[in-house]
Amino acid sequence: MEQMKPSMQNHDLQLQEAVFLQGHQQQSIIQRRMTEWLILARIQFSIIREAWVWIFIMACMFPLTTLLFLKFFTVDPTPAVMTRIITGNMLFGLIVMGLNSMAQEISWQKHQGHFTYYSSLPIAKVNFIFANLLRGLIMCVPSFIILAMIGQLAYGIQFHYSWGLVPVLLLTVFSVVGAGVLIGFWSPSHQLTNMLVQALMMFISFLTPVMVDMDQLPVILQWFAYIFPTTYAAEAMREVLISGWSGSVAWNSLVLLLFSLISIVLILKKVDWRVEK
């Protein structure tokens, strides 16, 4: 019996050492993934830093022009109409940058073979994708803030700012940017991507309840509108800016979260690094 004790003690020590090594290995993997993501995020940030002037112009020019045009065109709008116009143009800027520009740029990088370089590196695809999503977030948030400020000055209204605006803003951006990144990675040809995102940009902006109310659209367009995240984003954004967080805002935010998760899963599962296998 006494001879078995040293053997059992050695076994316990070996087990403890194995658990320690496994925990240390898992910690090293997490640290390595975090380091990868930070490096990829810095690469994406450097792209923005070099072209921030053009990004700023592109993010603000189209929605700002539309905002001022509607200001001149609309006579004595009600507060609800003014809020609809401002939030619609904030979403228009997001569609221009998060859907149109991100999809075209990622498609261009894919068909120029840039992703072949990244595929040769020992990095996780999920880190590369989240770094691109971060770039989309950085590109879109400034236009949101600028258009909200200019919209309030142009129409003379004051939004209700609350903590609920933060999750609505993040989920809105991620749901739209996720769709843009997905189209860019999926792109079978750059020409097709250009045509698709241009058509989607105009359709979503003007034929879904982004600039107008749902009941102003034909019934068939109302049904189509439910498949786009911008429908829920417009509803959540308008309500949270008027009256703050509510059950309707929570429901629309939940749908936006679902859109974001679906786009991320599709990107991870269906997208290849290379144009041809």
Side-chain angles (χ1 to χ4, degrees):
M1 193 65 181
E2 293 179 353
Q3 293 177 352
M4 293 179 62
K5 288 183 177 179
S7 176
M8 291 176 65
Q9 290 176 351
N10 289 335
H11 179 71
D12 291 342
L13 289 174
Q14 289 175 358
L15 183 61
Q16 291 175 2
E17 185 177 1
V19 171
F20 174 77
L21 290 174
Q22 187 178 9
H24 182 70
Q25 187 177 11
Q26 289 177 349
Q27 186 178 10
S28 299
I29 291 173
I30 293 172
Q31 289 177 346
R32 193 180 71 180
R33 295 302 183 203
M34 288 295 296
T35 304
E36 285 177 14
W37 186 83
L38 289 174
I39 293 172
L40 292 169
R42 287 180 64 183
I43 293 173
Q44 300 299 323
F45 182 74
S46 67
I47 296 173
I48 295 176
R49 189 177 60 182
E50 291 181 358
W52 71 269
V53 175
W54 293 111
I55 292 172
F56 179 80
I57 293 173
M58 284 293 296
C60 297
M61 183 176 66
F62 290 110
L64 184 58
T65 305
T66 310
L67 181 70
L68 295 179
F69 167 75
L70 292 173
K71 166 66 176 174
F72 304 144
F73 183 77
T74 309
V75 179
D76 296 329
T78 63
V81 172
M82 290 188 290
T83 306
R84 166 65 68 186
I85 292 173
I86 297 171
T87 55
N89 279 280
M90 291 163 64
L91 282 171
F92 187 28
L94 174 59
I95 293 167
V96 170
M97 297 306 296
L99 183 69
N100 190 11
S101 295
M102 283 299 294
Q104 291 196 51
E105 187 166 338
I106 290 176
S107 169
W108 180 80
Q109 291 181 8
K110 176 181 177 180
H111 293 283
Q112 289 292 317
H114 292 189
F115 294 163
T116 306
Y117 166 74
Y118 286 104
S119 68
S120 64
L121 299 176
I123 60 174
K125 184 189 288 185
V126 64
N127 280 337
F128 182 71
I129 291 169
F130 274 101
N132 276 276
L133 288 172
L134 176 67
R135 177 155 65 100
L137 179 69
I138 296 173
M139 288 169 57
C140 294
V141 169
S143 70
F144 249 70
I145 298 172
I146 292 169
L147 289 171
M149 295 173 63
I150 294 176
Q152 289 182 94
L153 291 173
Y155 287 91
I157 64 172
Q158 180 64 47
F159 286 141
H160 175 80
Y161 293 106
S162 63
W163 64 269
L165 183 61
V166 176
V168 171
L169 174 63
L170 291 176
L171 289 172
T172 298
V173 173
F174 270 115
S175 60
V176 177
V177 171
V181 172
L182 175 62
I183 293 173
F185 277 117
W186 163 81
S187 167
S189 72
H190 191 52
Q191 290 77 13
L192 177 62
T193 305
N194 281 338
M195 290 189 293
L196 178 62
V197 294
Q198 293 285 347
L200 271 177
M201 181 180 70
M202 302 309 293
F203 184 87
I204 293 174
S205 300
F206 301 108
L207 296 180
T208 64
V210 171
M211 297 284 188
V212 297
D213 290 324
M214 179 72 89
D215 55 8
Q216 293 178 283
L217 296 171
V219 176
I220 188 168
L221 290 181
Q222 293 182 21
W223 282 106
F224 269 113
Y226 287 113
I227 65 175
F228 298 111
T230 47
T231 300
Y232 309 94
E235 189 66 28
M237 187 66 66
R238 184 182 59 180
E239 189 161 342
V240 78
L241 286 174
I242 291 176
S243 57
W245 189 264
S246 65
S248 174
V249 176
W251 165 251
N252 286 297
S253 299
L254 186 63
V255 177
L256 290 174
L257 176 63
L258 186 62
F259 270 104
S260 303
L261 294 176
I262 290 174
S263 62
I264 291 172
V265 170
L266 288 177
I267 293 169
L268 290 173
K269 296 293 183 183
K270 300 295 182 183
V271 174
D272 295 319
W273 289 106
R274 296 175 177 82
V275 178
E276 296 179 357
K277 295 181 179 179

